[in-house]
Amino acid sequence: MFVTELLQTTPDPAAETALTLPDYDPETQAALFRYLLRLGDSVLILGQRTSEWCGHAPVLEEEMALANFGLDLIGQARMLLTYAGALEGKGRDEDTLAFLRYEHEYRNVTMTELPNGDFARTMVRHFLFASWMVLLWARLQSSADPHLAAIAGKAVKEARYHQRHAGGWVVRLGDGTALSHDKTQAALDDLWPYTAEWFESDEDDARLAQAGIAPHPGELAAPWRETVTPTLAEAQLRMPPESPFRSHGRWGRHSEHMGHLLPEMQYLQRAYPGGKW
Amino acid sequence: MYTQAMDLIAKEAGNTTPATAEPEAYQREFDAKIDRGDFIEPKDWMPEGYRKTLIRQISQHAHSEVVGMLPEGNWITRAPTLKRKAILLAKVQDEGGHGLYLYAAAETLGVSRTELIEALLSGKAKYSSIFNYPTLTWADVGVIGWLVDGAAIMNQIPLCKCSYGPYARAMVRICKEESFHQRQGYESLLVMMREGTPEQKAMVQDAVNRWWWPALMMFGPPDSESVHSPQSMRWGIKRVSNDELRQKFVDATVPQAEVLGVTLPDPHLKWNPERGHYDFGPINWKAFWDVINGHGPCNRDRMAARRRAWEEGAWVREAAEAYAEKAKRRATTHPTAA
């Protein structure tokens, strides 16, 4: 019976967490910690948003696809945050990091925290984001950091599927009916300005690029644009003009939406301190 | 997740007298297959009453899976850890998958998924009324896995051998996944009960108190009030009676509750050495019928959520069709470009 089996096979949690850490100087270590949060929080928060669709999608097949997106993203977040916690060395695990930080300590790119909006907006965001992540994960596969390279190796395959699936919807909706075209164009116009943040950089980025741990964010700007352009063209969508708008989630300054997403996500950890789940 | 109230379905379908209008030879062959325990397959001849009963039963089961995504989906964004969030997402995704195979199984009987969904949204088709109860705390998620999926498995295992091939095969896969869900639900409760805070333990007990009786009702009305069953039993669509399944469930669950350290909310629950079963208290059937008849705590919310998803998704489905049309036209105009 399953109960007997369960009682016999309780895994030893300490066995899972043994991770050999690379030997970095303190500045590189701190920069990598913050970089892992930027990546880990971005996939965590987008996974959180994606999972809000559960039970509400336009067709059953998309319920499945959106849940799949969510699962992949949460899975990536777990690996990244676990590694971040280990690297930091202060005893924070994936859940302490995911659930028990203040808003300004989250480093996700702002686009991921924006409300889902309609299906067009959800798919446009996912397509833009996954297209960026495919390029980023592909570069991180050859990171000088072995753990990050391993995570990237798994995540790049997932991101490719996300890009293909969401891109398929961008084309169908953009080139579907007049109504779906307008909704898709409006979503693209709204979301586009949030992409500029992805390619901006600071000292951490420079340090990690120099150490061969992560690509310089700016290097991905042109390839990303080249990747998304054909899909947007096929979808009959107009590329939005450049805008001086800048978002700053990667620096911990978020939109007003983040302050509503977090209390919901953190509720049980805050309400039952010291709980075991 | 699951289906109940097959009695209600068969009661309606029972009005269609099977064999009269059908060629006798076909009917004889059909009966012989049933007697031999062979599967009936989509292209085989079958009595109209059998077809209708199956369509209703399978589609009700499919609707239950899809509506069943809502109560648990209610906790995905608030799951307490990333691991639990992933497990819950995967579980709810499995339920969507069960909905898909079951709609596909129903489609082999000559109905479309859209027709079936419209019957659900208009209130004509039913879904398991267990999903008309609210998930008020995180412990409800674990308790649903343990008790509701546990009851579903009891109900569904006999269906793996039901006479209609596509349904039986879908049920084999579904039962495997449900067993996994039940185990995960129970495991999450075990962690809270063994390692959790007093507040967490109280949360688990409260959820058990609220779900125990509705779980027992999932097996449907008592055999004494079950008007129809002979026909479904004869057809091999229903294999074991409601009361037998309910007893089996109680017998399996009581020791699990003891291991967990929770009390089942029934003062009459007691081992009866003569029967070799647990005795349990009377079920409040009025409460059951009230929920079935639309007066449960969440009937309106569940239907409103399904209707909203369907209506708000209409432009997406229309766009996908319009795009597919355009793509087809382009392929005929410029075959090489396709």
Side-chain angles (χ1 to χ4, degrees):
Chain A
M1 191 180 71
F2 78 91
V3 174
T4 335
E5 237 175 89
L6 269 179
L7 293 173
Q8 285 163 352
T9 57
T10 315
D12 172 19
E16 296 169 22
T17 47
L19 206 96
T20 329
L21 297 173
D23 190 18
Y24 293 122
D25 63 75
E27 289 80 14
T28 307
Q29 181 164 328
L32 179 54
F33 170 71
R34 288 187 290 266
Y35 186 79
L36 291 167
L37 291 187
R38 285 171 168 181
L39 272 180
D41 289 345
S42 293
V43 288
L44 169 66
I45 300 300
L46 186 59
Q48 174 75 5
R49 282 298 188 207
T50 310
S51 65
E52 289 173 16
W53 269 101
C54 180
H56 309 285
V59 287
L60 198 44
E61 284 79 354
E62 291 313 302
E63 294 280 1
M64 316 280 290
L66 286 160
N68 223 29
F69 284 178
L71 273 171
D72 288 345
L73 294 168
I74 302 290
Q76 294 163 9
R78 294 184 66 187
M79 295 188 284
L80 291 161
L81 295 179
T82 297
Y83 183 32
L87 198 65
E88 185 194 37
K90 293 184 184 166
R92 293 203 278 184
D93 63 9
E94 58 180 53
D95 293 320
T96 323
L97 286 170
F99 295 97
L100 294 171
R101 276 179 291 157
Y102 293 111
E103 177 178 326
H104 67 272
E105 296 170 311
Y106 285 82
R107 297 301 159 109
N108 54 292
V109 295
T110 303
M111 193 199 277
T112 58
E113 77 208 30
L114 302 178
N116 287 328
D118 63 17
F119 191 70
R121 197 176 156 103
T122 297
M123 285 299 168
V124 169
R125 167 169 63 188
H126 216 90
F127 169 68
L128 297 176
F129 181 80
S131 301
W132 172 48
M133 292 307 285
V134 166
L135 296 170
L136 183 54
W137 288 129
R139 290 283 301 270
L140 288 172
Q141 278 185 284
S142 50
S143 168
D145 184 278
H147 295 300
L148 188 51
I151 295 169
K154 181 172 187 299
V156 71
K157 293 178 204 140
E158 296 167 344
R160 280 196 196 110
Y161 159 73
H162 293 206
Q163 181 188 29
R164 200 165 56 239
H165 189 82
W169 274 107
V170 170
V171 170
R172 253 172 259 146
L173 297 175
D175 192 19
T177 61
L179 177 66
S180 71
H181 172 84
D182 292 350
K183 284 177 184 281
T184 312
Q185 183 68 55
L188 183 64
D189 291 344
D190 278 353
L191 293 168
W192 190 261
Y194 289 91
T195 62
E197 178 189 350
W198 304 348
F199 308 110
E200 306 223 310
S201 52
D202 60 13
E203 283 171 20
D204 282 351
D205 294 310
R207 184 181 297 275
L208 296 176
Q210 208 182 356
I213 293 173
H216 198 277
E219 288 172 22
L220 298 179
W224 175 76
R225 198 178 252 272
E226 281 166 33
T227 312
V228 299
T229 303
T231 303
L232 299 181
E234 195 188 345
Q236 313 289 330
L237 296 169
R238 189 185 62 246
M239 188 87 87
E242 287 313 312
S243 140
F245 171 90
R246 285 294 177 275
S247 54
H248 305 281
R250 287 175 76 223
W251 288 269
R253 265 182 294 141
H254 293 279
S255 68
E256 289 179 348
H257 305 291
M258 190 68 168
H260 296 271
L261 180 148
L262 287 180
E264 183 176 345
M265 187 172 88
Q266 297 180 338
Y267 157 63
L268 285 166
Q269 288 277 353
R270 299 281 187 203
Y272 292 83
K276 291 281 181 285
W277 309 96
Chain B
M1 207 174 300
Y2 166 56
T3 100
Q4 123 236 293
M6 284 168 201
D7 301 77
L8 312 179
I9 299 169
K11 204 189 309 183
E12 293 167 54
N15 298 335
T16 325
T17 323
T20 50
E22 311 290 355
E24 270 179 36
Y26 287 139
Q27 179 72 47
R28 272 202 303 277
E29 196 187 326
F30 174 86
D31 290 341
K33 274 188 201 154
I34 298 274
D35 291 341
R36 286 196 301 269
D38 289 354
F39 283 134
I40 306 297
E41 294 297 337
K43 287 184 177 163
D44 295 345
W45 182 90
M46 61 188 85
E48 233 5 71
Y50 177 83
R51 182 189 299 276
K52 280 189 185 159
T53 302
L54 275 172
I55 290 174
R56 286 185 211 188
Q57 182 168 326
I58 299 172
S59 67
Q60 173 182 290
H61 191 166
H63 299 327
S64 300
E65 297 284 355
V66 173
V67 175
M69 297 170 80
L70 296 169
E72 290 173 284
N74 182 37
W75 281 93
I76 292 175
T77 58
R78 292 178 291 170
T81 66
L82 295 183
K83 178 181 145 193
R84 295 289 172 205
K85 196 189 283 289
I87 288 174
L88 183 56
L89 250 176
K91 179 187 177 189
V92 176
Q93 188 190 34
D94 282 348
E95 283 156 12
H98 298 171
L100 273 182
Y101 333 136
L102 289 164
Y103 282 126
E107 283 181 314
T108 63
L109 292 158
V111 273
S112 72
R113 202 205 300 182
T114 306
E115 285 174 79
L116 297 175
I117 291 173
E118 281 165 1
L120 170 72
L121 300 182
S122 71
K124 224 175 90 190
K126 298 275 183 225
Y127 56 90
S128 175
S129 78
I130 194 72
F131 303 119
N132 289 320
Y133 293 90
T135 48
L136 301 179
T137 70
W138 169 254
D140 290 42
V141 170
V143 170
I144 287 179
W146 173 38
L147 296 181
V148 174
D149 291 333
I153 294 165
M154 287 283 172
N155 259 324
Q156 290 172 353
I157 281 179
L159 293 175
C160 297
K161 290 184 200 146
C162 89
S163 61
Y164 190 57
Y167 190 31
R169 289 187 286 273
M171 290 317 304
V172 171
R173 186 162 168 185
I174 289 173
C175 282
K176 278 187 197 156
E177 293 182 353
E178 295 291 7
S179 302
F180 193 60
H181 297 164
Q182 189 195 21
R183 183 193 164 109
Q184 285 172 327
Y186 189 83
E187 190 266 341
S188 81
L189 299 176
L190 205 55
V191 170
M192 288 193 270
M193 290 304 291
R194 299 203 151 185
E195 301 164 40
T197 61
E199 291 80 4
Q200 286 184 292
K201 291 177 192 174
M203 189 191 348
V204 174
Q205 183 62 58
D206 166 65
V208 170
N209 293 349
R210 284 181 288 107
W211 287 95
W212 173 248
W213 291 107
L216 292 192
M217 293 176 195
M218 286 175 67
F219 298 94
D223 296 347
S224 55
E225 287 169 34
S226 203
V227 249
H228 78 54
S229 282
Q231 180 66 83
S232 278
M233 290 272 194
R234 169 73 194 97
W235 278 336
I237 296 172
K238 188 174 173 68
R239 296 281 191 191
V240 187
S241 88
N242 296 351
D243 285 336
E244 280 175 73
L245 288 169
R246 192 169 8 249
Q247 182 67 61
K248 210 172 157 200
F249 174 73
V250 172
D251 291 347
T253 308
V254 173
Q256 294 169 356
E258 282 164 8
V259 171
L260 202 53
V262 294
T263 311
L264 296 172
D266 178 357
H268 301 285
L269 195 64
K270 206 178 145 203
W271 178 249
N272 180 332
E274 279 165 41
R275 291 204 307 128
H277 291 292
Y278 284 93
D279 289 337
F280 53 95
I283 293 175
N284 178 353
W285 290 110
K286 183 184 176 302
F288 170 78
W289 289 110
D290 283 347
V291 179
I292 292 233
N293 291 325
H295 311 294
C298 298
N299 299 56
R300 284 165 205 277
D301 290 346
R302 300 292 182 242
M303 286 310 292
R306 287 317 311 160
R307 282 195 198 108
R308 198 167 52 242
W310 187 246
E311 284 159 15
E312 287 178 3
W315 67 271
V316 174
R317 296 188 300 274
E318 281 159 19
E321 277 172 34
Y323 177 80
E325 269 308 306
K326 280 186 203 175
K328 206 163 34 173
R329 272 205 306 277
R330 278 194 288 258
T332 25
T333 333
H334 312 283
T336 46

